[in-house]
Amino acid sequence: MTTPAYLEDNDGEHRLPLRPPGTRTESHKTSPFDAQREHQMFFGPLKKIANELYDAGPVNGPGDALERLQKIQRLLSSVEAVICVLLADSVEQVSESFSDFIATENTHTAEEEAEARKSAAYYGVDRGSEQTINSNLIAEAAVALRESPRKVSKRMFHAKGLRHVCKATLLALAAGEITAKAAHDIVKYSQDLGPGQVSLMEQTLLPLARTASDETVYQRARRLHDRLNPDSAENRQKNAMAARNVKVWNDEDGMATLQLHHRADVIHSIRNSIMQVAAQSTDPKDPRTKTQLEADALADVYLNGWPGMEGMPLKPRVSITIPAVEMLANPTRALADLEGYGPIPIGIALELAADAPSFQRVLTDPWTGAAIDVEPKKYRPSQGLRDFLRHRDQHCGFPGCRRPADRSEIDHIEAFGQGGHTTRRNTHLLCKQHQMFKHALGWKVFACPDGSKTWVSPHGLRSITIPESVANVANFDHVNDHCPQRTSDDAAHKVHLTPEVRRVLGLGQDEDLPDTGTG
């Protein structure tokens, strides 16, 4: 049985037999000859396979296609090996001088460096610690690979494991002899083992991994790890219990998944109770299936309490944006936006709005969808700005970060102490972690005239972020000094001034939309 996709890995570098930073000689070349030899070792197979695929010309039938698929699998393995080497070597090499690098390369004045050191003290972060360097480089690599930091963090775990612990596995991966999945499983099940036990695992599994399926390698690695692991089953269960959690995944079509990861007897007791509650529904006219009844029973139990009991004292809070003009212009195709999720059908949004205890009007651009202003009534300016940013940005503005607005704070793009103002253009949402990246670890952000933000990492990688509320980015210009231009012939963006639309926009019966000079 494979590990279920919904289970969160509890993998950690601390569980691998890694030597301390600075002593991992694999990442440090002693001579140009060694550097060139290793370059050929890792990039040579990649180049050879890519050339073979290119020189083969057009595909000649199914047999030829299948042979090329095998070569592509080997190519993917070689690429993964190179990525692992680059990640592991980069984080090892930068660890030696990261603090000095920030001070000399990314700040231009003594005052800026002093401010960065003060910010590091405020956030309680040691800029030279392995954990800080690791997380910072992961964020930069996420920009380079266009992947989430969470995914790159897993890549870094496997990279260090292959580069510094499972070296024979890395060489087999670079040669295209085994798959990336097999290599990752060997690293995964090298956790909590000593160097000698890891060597035994490689000797046992690598011959198998060169021909067997990934599933076979996974099963053998898991069983071998359990035999070699000196930790008792009781301690492993205790550690697993400490990792219990509740998680949420956003699915398609306005749906989401809630997962409770807990002890098996607790889960089965909950399951049996839900089945019993669902079985009490005996209405012959109820069209719901057994699984639908059980799903509804679980939701009802949490929100309203068990039958005969009072509901939960805390009422759930959700934020929904309903585009009034779009809804009136074409209600069958209009979509609302559920904060922290994304688009949902307008019908569901209206059902939720019917029971809403309060409303807040937000002015949005009907062409791009970007929030322009928030109704100021009943709110102090600071609260109004906070509400505006929540609707405009919707989550942390750092590249790749999706922490919701409720877990982020207002941050000045240009520091307030350096003349920056508390305005819509000079503020955005950042979570605590990425405030620390910006203020203490050398990341820079610049506001562009079109509403986008340009981030520059400590090593100079550039990434452009756009507020989540913006739906149309076709005419954004991240270089020239002007805002997005609207084309005059785009029929999809024309607003028909029906009486309902005029009422929402506050226009008189004979009044037209103002000419903004944008066509």
Side-chain angles (χ1 to χ4, degrees):
M1 161 177 92
T2 58
T3 301
Y6 59 79
L7 279 184
E8 184 68 21
D9 290 332
N10 61 345
D11 300 330
E13 296 174 12
H14 63 284
R15 297 177 58 193
L16 290 171
L18 283 167
R19 298 186 303 278
T23 64
R24 301 166 188 168
T25 55
E26 300 83 10
S27 297
H28 303 277
K29 313 304 178 292
T30 57
S31 68
F33 173 78
D34 288 338
Q36 183 62 31
R37 180 180 59 83
E38 191 166 82
H39 174 79
Q40 294 177 352
M41 181 188 304
F42 289 112
F43 284 89
L46 192 155
K47 177 184 177 182
K48 179 176 181 294
I49 299 170
N51 285 339
E52 289 176 358
L53 287 167
Y54 179 79
D55 294 339
V59 177
N60 185 23
D64 186 25
L66 291 171
E67 289 182 6
R68 297 194 192 195
L69 287 176
Q70 286 184 318
K71 288 186 177 181
I72 289 173
Q73 177 56 59
R74 290 171 50 208
L75 179 66
L76 292 174
S77 295
S78 296
V79 169
E80 180 66 19
V82 170
I83 290 175
C84 288
V85 170
L86 293 175
L87 286 175
D89 287 0
S90 296
V91 75
E92 176 70 14
Q93 292 163 10
V94 78
S95 66
E96 299 176 353
S97 56
F98 184 64
S99 295
D100 293 338
F101 174 82
I102 295 177
T104 58
E105 299 293 331
N106 278 55
T107 55
H108 305 288
T109 66
E111 290 77 10
E112 288 179 326
E113 171 58 14
E115 189 66 29
R117 292 184 182 278
K118 185 190 298 183
S119 296
Y122 171 78
Y123 289 107
V125 59
D126 177 6
R127 295 193 297 179
S129 72
E130 183 181 12
Q131 181 181 0
T132 300
I133 294 165
N134 201 62
S135 61
N136 198 65
L137 191 68
I138 284 172
E140 290 192 88
V143 171
L145 294 169
R146 296 196 178 187
E147 295 179 349
S148 69
R150 190 173 187 177
K151 185 173 182 179
V152 176
S153 178
K154 292 182 179 181
R155 279 186 177 273
M156 184 67 80
F157 165 78
H158 291 122
K160 290 185 177 181
L162 287 168
R163 186 63 161 149
H164 304 303
V165 179
C166 303
K167 302 175 189 178
T169 304
L170 175 61
L171 294 179
L173 182 65
E177 298 173 352
I178 64 174
T179 67
K181 175 66 166 59
H184 292 173
D185 282 339
I186 291 175
V187 171
K188 178 181 180 66
Y189 290 105
S190 295
Q191 294 178 106
D192 308 317
L193 302 181
Q197 293 170 315
V198 172
S199 178
L200 176 60
M201 176 171 281
E202 287 189 294
Q203 293 174 21
T204 304
L205 293 178
L206 282 179
L208 178 74
R210 289 183 172 93
T211 57
S213 67
D214 288 343
E215 176 66 14
T216 300
V217 176
Y218 164 78
Q219 295 290 355
R220 294 288 186 92
R222 187 168 61 89
R223 288 196 292 268
L224 183 58
H225 173 270
D226 287 347
R227 288 200 299 269
L228 295 174
N229 188 1
D231 199 8
S232 67
E234 181 179 353
N235 284 337
R236 294 202 301 272
Q237 199 284 328
K238 182 179 179 181
N239 293 333
M241 182 60 180
R244 62 191 182 278
N245 56 65
V246 175
K247 292 187 178 296
V248 174
W249 284 271
N250 289 329
D251 302 323
E252 297 178 350
D253 303 321
M255 304 295 284
T257 297
L258 178 71
Q259 171 204 296
L260 170 62
H261 182 57
H262 212 289
R263 210 173 59 216
D265 61 299
V266 173
I267 295 297
H268 283 279
S269 295
I270 294 173
R271 170 69 171 159
N272 292 338
S273 299
I274 294 303
M275 292 174 64
Q276 183 178 357
V277 171
Q280 295 175 4
S281 178
T282 57
D283 185 356
K285 296 182 180 180
D286 192 335
R288 292 177 295 176
T289 64
K290 179 175 179 291
T291 54
Q292 290 171 342
L293 284 167
E294 291 173 358
D296 291 345
L298 177 58
D300 290 343
V301 162
Y302 176 75
L303 294 175
N304 302 317
W306 291 98
M309 298 177 62
E310 295 183 0
M312 62 176 295
L314 297 176
K315 295 302 179 183
R317 185 193 76 84
V318 295
S319 178
I320 303 169
T321 302
I322 301 177
V325 173
E326 184 181 348
M327 179 182 67
L328 292 172
N330 193 343
T332 61
R333 300 193 56 166
L335 289 173
D337 190 87
L338 176 64
E339 184 178 28
Y341 173 80
I344 61 174
I346 201 73
I348 295 178
L350 293 176
E351 288 180 16
L352 295 171
D355 297 326
S358 63
F359 290 90
Q360 183 180 37
R361 287 191 290 271
V362 181
L363 178 62
T364 61
D365 186 314
W367 282 266
T368 68
I372 299 173
D373 208 346
V374 175
E375 178 187 32
K377 294 181 180 179
K378 302 179 182 178
Y379 291 92
R380 298 189 304 272
S382 59
Q383 183 62 47
L385 179 62
R386 182 177 295 277
D387 290 336
F388 167 78
L389 292 176
R390 197 182 85 225
H391 286 284
R392 186 194 69 183
D393 297 349
Q394 300 186 15
H395 56 71
C396 172
F398 189 83
C401 183
R402 304 285 301 185
R403 286 189 179 91
D406 287 347
R407 293 170 57 193
S408 303
E409 298 177 355
I410 293 179
D411 176 77
H412 287 79
I413 295 173
E414 182 182 358
F416 184 81
Q418 297 174 1
H421 299 292
T422 309
T423 61
R424 291 174 293 174
R425 176 167 175 170
N426 193 50
T427 54
H428 59 164
L429 294 180
L430 282 186
C431 66
K432 278 287 189 183
Q433 179 187 14
H434 293 127
Q435 286 183 58
M436 181 265 291
F437 274 36
K438 174 177 174 284
H439 295 292
L441 298 186
W443 288 77
K444 304 291 185 184
V445 60
F446 304 95
C448 302
D450 62 10
S452 63
K453 308 291 187 300
T454 297
W455 284 86
V456 182
S457 79
H459 287 90
L461 272 70
R462 302 178 76 86
S463 178
I464 294 173
T465 61
I466 297 174
E468 186 69 17
S469 61
V470 175
N472 179 17
V473 299
N475 299 310
F476 267 59
D477 188 333
H478 310 299
V479 178
N480 297 310
D481 190 20
H482 61 68
C483 292
Q485 301 298 301
R486 301 171 183 143
T487 57
S488 58
D489 58 348
D490 191 348
H493 292 159
K494 291 185 181 298
V495 176
H496 299 285
L497 296 181
T498 63
E500 291 83 1
V501 174
R502 288 182 179 277
R503 177 173 56 82
V504 171
L505 296 179
L507 297 175
Q509 206 53 31
D510 299 324
E511 192 176 356
D512 203 351
L513 287 172
D515 184 3
T516 61
T518 59

